[in-house]
Amino acid sequence: MNELRVNTLESEAIYILREVAAQFEKPVLLFSGGKDSITLVRLAQKAFWPAKIPFPFLHVDTGHNFPETIEFRDRLTKELGVELIVRNVQDNIDAGKVVEETGKYASRNMLQTETLLDAIEEFGFDACIGGARRDEEKARAKERIFSVRSDFGEWDEKNQRPELFDLLNGKIELGQNVRCFPISNWTELDVWSYIERESIEIPSIYFAHKRKVFLRDGMIWSAEDDVVFRAEDEEVKEMMVRFRTVGDMSCTAAVLSDAVSISKVVEEIRDSSISERGARIDDKRSEAAMEKRKQQGYF
């Protein structure tokens, strides 16, 4: 582990979190129970210690999350004593505001945007803190650390503010909000190195375990639920797998692995030549899938 690099990234992220708290009236941390948002939580603890984290957590729950991450989410927020706000995609489906997909590649991941925008309006949040990183996907590489969104939640990648040195401009007009990315400059390996150094607890799904799965399109899908569509000819097998990212069960594939500890995960990531988003089918729908979702208000 490059200790100097990790220390520098930690200091930068803490500075950004303090700037968010200072410049905005109603910030919120978007928390999914995944490794990146868990890292943000540790950084926020350090940024405001010995006080409590000064903003609530928001989770847009699709109803198709891995049970391991939901259990971890509830337990961690209870231990921290922070307010957890949960808004459900199912409510918008029931209200007819969005239409659920059907078929082989159906996913609720695309439907999160409407629920997120509704929550921002409901609570009047002017800054949403998230764990997106520039190395994840090329659309995210275009983001600023403070990314301004319109009153419709829209992102204009061609009209972003310059960020010179450590100067972050949080001034917004009525109706606008800002998406804030404290770990934007981190890589997946940086996150895991930090988790290892800080001995941060993470959901068990990130470690290798035996799981009932099936293969489709060269990817490994969980067969331990009734969410993921599986055709009759898709055979269920038991394999030793883990998940590098924890999106919806319906759009997140597993990887073969024997990494049963954080040190083994770090070693595996260091040797990997494939991005973690390579296991996300929602990013493969088109060349510009992520960018189009961001333009519509997706995080």
Side-chain angles (χ1 to χ4, degrees), residues 286-297:
S286 73
E287 186 69 18
M290 173 67 80
E291 187 159 331
K292 288 179 179 178
R293 279 183 288 160
K294 290 173 71 65
Q295 290 168 348
Q296 295 165 357

Side-chain angles (χ1 to χ4, degrees), residues 92-141:
N92 276 356
I93 294 173
D94 294 342
K97 299 177 77 172
V98 294
V99 178
E100 184 159 23
E101 298 178 356
T102 59
K104 189 175 181 179
Y105 298 105
S107 171
R108 288 186 175 183
N109 200 50
M110 300 284 287
L111 307 184
Q112 294 179 84
T113 300
E114 188 73 29
T115 306
L116 172 60
L117 295 178
D118 287 348
I120 291 172
E121 182 177 4
E122 176 185 355
F123 293 95
F125 295 129
D126 53 1
C128 298
I129 306 163
R133 308 185 323 271
R134 287 174 178 150
D135 76 315
E136 289 181 272
E137 200 272 343
K138 55 190 176 184
R140 285 181 166 167

